[in-house]
Amino acid sequence: AQKITQTQPGMFVQEKEAVTLDCTYDTSDPSYGLFWYKQPSSGEMIFLIYQGSYDQQNATEGRYSLNFQKARKSANLVISASQLGDSAMYFCATTGAGSYQLTFGKGTKLSVIP
Amino acid sequence: KAGVTQTPRYLIKTRGQQVTLSCSPISGHRSVSWYQQTPGQGLQFLFEYFSETQRNKGNFPGRFSGRQFSNSRSEMNVSTLELGDSALYLCASSGVGPPDTQYFGPGTRLTVL
């Protein structure tokens, strides 16, 4: 079974600043995927970034990067140059080997201050 | 490509009724998964279908069921609704991995009175 822990229920960041959202995971699968999703108040889950457990380099997608530390079992999301539109809930999730089932953390509510 | 669509977007039912939610995946995607999101329990996996077969099921009572059609569209059904079934129900579709990224629809917000 997989478990995701997000220890920051809420965070504030100044517009144009960078912010790091924490995520630690626990899994017994040798192969797994790590995902970050954004959920605005509208409810839709928006895929942001993916990291495979065997990927050597940290994933990046535009202003999003994933700081993957396998030994520490952490997969922190870094958002650079925060924008007002980044205010939302952010969820870290994982899938196990051969499974499409996502296990989510409880999320972090990010508020960007102008 | 069109995204995942879910209908209806909002639904109000009373206890004891049943409800059917629909999900159309991204064109070409054959895997469809369903999730329930509540303030108390967070996001929980319901089930996953691939090529009309249920491949995986979460820890939900038998009142929750689903199916997938030959065109990959999926429906989920909840019978004998309870107040606790009030939630946002999210559908996600996925192509052939890796990565097995799931793309979500806008969700159906179900309120049980």
Side-chain angles (χ1 to χ4, degrees), chain A residues 33 35 37 39 41-47 50 91 95-96 98-106, chain B residues 9 31 33 35 37 43 45 48 55-56 88 90 94-97 99-106:
Chain A
F35 302 81
Y37 287 88
Q39 187 178 42
S41 56
S42 60
E44 183 171 358
M45 296 285 281
I46 301 167
F47 166 70
Y50 163 85
F91 291 94
T95 52
S99 171
Y100 283 62
Q101 176 180 343
L102 282 165
T103 299
F104 287 90
K106 293 194 179 301
Chain B
R9 293 292 312 279
S31 169
S33 298
Y35 296 84
Q37 186 177 24
L43 282 148
F45 170 77
E48 186 237 339
R55 291 204 296 193
N56 204 357
L88 179 66
L90 292 161
S94 180
V96 178
D100 48 357
T101 302
Q102 294 185 43
Y103 297 92
F104 284 80

Side-chain angles (χ1 to χ4, degrees), chain B residues 2 6 8 13 16 18 23-24 32 38 46 73 76 84 92 103 111:
Chain B
Q6 290 186 245
K13 293 285 188 179
Q18 75 166 18
C23 171
S24 292
V32 174
T38 60
L46 280 157
R73 190 177 69 86
M76 67 163 282
Y103 297 92
T111 301

